[in-house]
Amino acid sequence: MAEDSPLREAKPSMAEIFQRDPLQLTRQDRDAIVAVLRQRRVEFQREEVASKNKPKRTRAPDGLSLDDLLK
Amino acid sequence: MSIVPDTTQLKAFSSTIPGLQFAWDSVSLGELKTCPRKYYYTIIEGWQPILRSDHLTFGIHYHRALELYDHRKAEGQSHNDALDCAVKYCLEETVVRLPGDRWRPWTSQEPNKNRETLLRTVVWYLDQFEQDAAQTIILQNSKPAVELSFRFEIDYQIDSQPALLCGHLDRIVEFTGKKFVLDHKTTKYNIDDRYFAQFNPDNQMSLYSLAAQIVYGEPVRGIIIDAAQVLVNSSRFLRGFTFRHKSETDEWLSEVNYWLAQAQHFAQSGVWPKNDKSCGFYGGCPFREVCASAPSFRETLLNASFRRRVWDPLIPRGTDV
């Protein structure tokens, strides 16, 4: 992606911040990391709720045959 | 065995019997209980693997970051400012400084315990417990009861004086009107009833229960274990409890006397036998290869893969009580 691309992220990504010397990071940089982590937490919590609400698949009993239905 | 190092000048050891420990923390007592030979290598000779385990590195930084947060909160800082302090610590302390302003990040072999999962676990834990019902006690010296160093005398005599039990408590909190010790744990395994069951009986938790009762002066209801399950892409937290009745801590303490008598016997005989039923615990003992080699070759192996340090459990970390 070109340097001046309008699609380029306005804010540095977490990966980019991680590449920098931590002693040079500003509060703004750290806040950006925290914001990303918080967003991930919201997404994780959403997935957790969704997976808990998902109806459990019932499993067919093992070892049954058509003959069993006719008994 | 090799010649017992002269420990008589060390504060935590007997001044007359080399290799006899005088001040015991949960780590050294735990090593003795696990395997006398492991105890000898780790505590008396002071061997540590040159490459520190990623689990240990993660745990140290996790505890320290949460401790910094608790201190800042107790000073009146906002959640976000205190959290920033913890984040700053995690970023700055997980790099290795090299000559000429160069640096490299801590490289972990564990996919679920590295810089990024450390930061994530710290931020998610602190956000989850921002409005925590468990509030840190403020001590009489106005400092928060965080990372408290303790020591107290027990009946067992070494050099005609009482031996010491010592250590550090993560936090003392008030929760539902009662006082608890709060301890942080991290794991990659599922946190459930079975996970929390491992803390009773447990050497460390029994010592903490006893210490809190003795040094805090008030009965402490139990220990809160804030467990963090650290996975590659997420972290989960669950709060569990472990309780010790006074009769249980009394029993644990009376058994400590037997263990210290064993330690004294080992030191006087100069023999710390291997417990070869413990070699596979916790992912395998780091000294397994040493013990499996011919006795004449062990010193060479130790020098190749380990470095020595002086074990001193009496060095305080945070606030002395």
Side-chain angles (χ1 to χ4, degrees), chain B residues 118-169:
Chain B
L118 172 70
L119 266 171
R120 182 193 68 216
T121 309
V122 166
V123 171
W124 287 19
Y125 173 82
L126 293 176
D127 274 359
Q128 179 157 330
F129 290 99
E130 181 186 352
Q131 307 294 335
D132 195 358
Q135 290 291 311
T136 306
I137 299 280
I138 302 298
L139 300 170
Q140 284 181 340
N141 60 9
S142 309
K143 288 183 178 172
V146 174
E147 198 65 15
L148 295 167
S149 295
F150 67 83
R151 66 179 72 167
F152 57 91
E153 295 178 347
I154 58 173
D155 289 341
Y156 195 85
Q157 300 272 317
I158 290 173
D159 292 345
S160 306
Q161 54 177 323
L164 294 179
L165 290 180
C166 56
H168 312 278
L169 304 175

Side-chain angles (χ1 to χ4, degrees), chain B residues 2-49:
Chain B
S2 53
I3 299 159
V4 180
D6 182 14
T7 53
T8 55
Q9 302 303 311
L10 301 175
K11 266 173 38 182
F13 284 81
S14 156
S15 59
T16 56
I17 304 169
L20 178 56
Q21 200 175 335
F22 166 74
W24 293 79
D25 63 353
S26 68
V27 174
S28 48
L29 191 56
E31 297 286 35
L32 177 73
K33 290 179 178 181
T34 303
C35 171
R37 183 66 60 86
K38 186 174 183 226
Y39 164 78
Y40 175 77
Y41 284 142
T42 310
I43 307 297
I44 297 176
E45 290 204 339
W47 293 108
Q48 275 197 316

Side-chain angles (χ1 to χ4, degrees), chain B residues 25-314:
Chain B
D25 63 353
S26 68
V27 174
S28 48
L29 191 56
E31 297 286 35
L32 177 73
K33 290 179 178 181
T34 303
C35 171
R37 183 66 60 86
K38 186 174 183 226
Y39 164 78
Y40 175 77
Y41 284 142
T42 310
I43 307 297
I44 297 176
E45 290 204 339
W47 293 108
Q48 275 197 316
I50 289 172
L51 296 174
R52 191 165 71 182
S53 97
D54 293 321
H55 294 291
L56 184 60
T57 302
F58 188 97
I60 289 169
H61 289 313
Y62 183 67
H63 275 78
R64 181 78 183 122
L66 300 186
E67 182 195 342
L68 283 169
Y69 173 89
D70 288 326
H71 276 290
R72 294 294 185 277
K73 279 287 282 178
E75 288 165 9
Q77 283 192 3
S78 69
H79 170 69
N80 281 337
D81 286 350
L83 186 139
D84 178 61
C85 178
V87 167
K88 191 170 186 290
Y89 167 84
C90 291
L91 288 164
E92 292 180 0
E93 297 301 320
T94 51
V95 298
V96 178
R97 288 278 148 201
L98 303 167
D101 285 343
R102 290 180 307 125
W103 61 282
R104 64 173 168 79
W106 160 41
T107 45
S108 168
Q109 303 302 310
E110 289 289 329
N112 51 356
K113 290 197 172 169
N114 52 44
R115 283 186 93 202
E116 196 166 337
T117 62
L118 172 70
L119 266 171
R120 182 193 68 216
T121 309
V122 166
V123 171
W124 287 19
Y125 173 82
L126 293 176
D127 274 359
Q128 179 157 330
F129 290 99
E130 181 186 352
Q131 307 294 335
D132 195 358
Q135 290 291 311
T136 306
I137 299 280
I138 302 298
L139 300 170
Q140 284 181 340
N141 60 9
S142 309
K143 288 183 178 172
V146 174
E147 198 65 15
L148 295 167
S149 295
F150 67 83
R151 66 179 72 167
F152 57 91
E153 295 178 347
I154 58 173
D155 289 341
Y156 195 85
Q157 300 272 317
I158 290 173
D159 292 345
S160 306
Q161 54 177 323
L164 294 179
L165 290 180
C166 56
H168 312 278
L169 304 175
D170 279 357
R171 264 168 92 193
I172 298 179
V173 297
E174 192 162 295
F175 181 68
T176 60
K178 296 181 177 71
K179 292 180 181 61
F180 287 82
V181 173
L182 191 149
D183 199 60
H184 296 288
K185 296 285 179 204
T186 64
T187 179
K188 62 180 174 183
Y189 299 109
N190 201 28
I191 307 170
D192 51 18
D193 290 347
R194 217 173 119 207
Y195 174 83
F196 290 114
Q198 71 180 301
F199 297 109
N200 194 9
D202 177 74
N203 182 58
Q204 183 190 33
M205 295 303 161
S206 295
L207 174 58
Y208 287 1
S209 294
L210 187 65
Q213 283 168 25
I214 292 174
V215 301
Y216 194 66
E218 273 185 62
V220 169
R221 180 79 182 84
I223 296 176
I224 296 175
I225 297 155
D226 270 1
Q229 183 190 19
V230 186
L231 301 169
V232 175
N233 293 312
S234 63
S235 302
R236 285 193 187 91
F237 308 96
L238 202 62
R239 178 164 281 178
F241 297 82
T242 186
F243 300 98
R244 297 289 188 281
H245 189 267
K246 190 179 176 304
S247 61
E248 292 172 281
T249 50
D250 286 349
E251 183 187 40
W252 180 84
L253 187 56
S254 70
E255 288 172 357
V256 167
N257 292 336
Y258 290 97
W259 286 105
L260 297 201
Q262 288 267 311
Q264 184 155 359
H265 174 68
F266 296 145
Q268 283 168 333
S269 62
V271 177
W272 282 263
K274 295 191 283 283
N275 177 2
D276 52 17
K277 296 299 285 180
S278 292
C279 307
F281 291 169
Y282 310 114
C285 175
F287 297 103
R288 192 171 202 162
E289 200 187 340
V290 175
C291 291
S293 69
S296 59
F297 192 55
R298 287 177 191 154
E299 192 73 20
T300 310
L301 281 179
L302 286 166
N303 280 307
S305 306
F306 297 81
R307 63 166 172 241
R308 283 177 104 148
R309 54 96 174 87
V310 174
W311 176 258
D312 189 351
L314 292 173

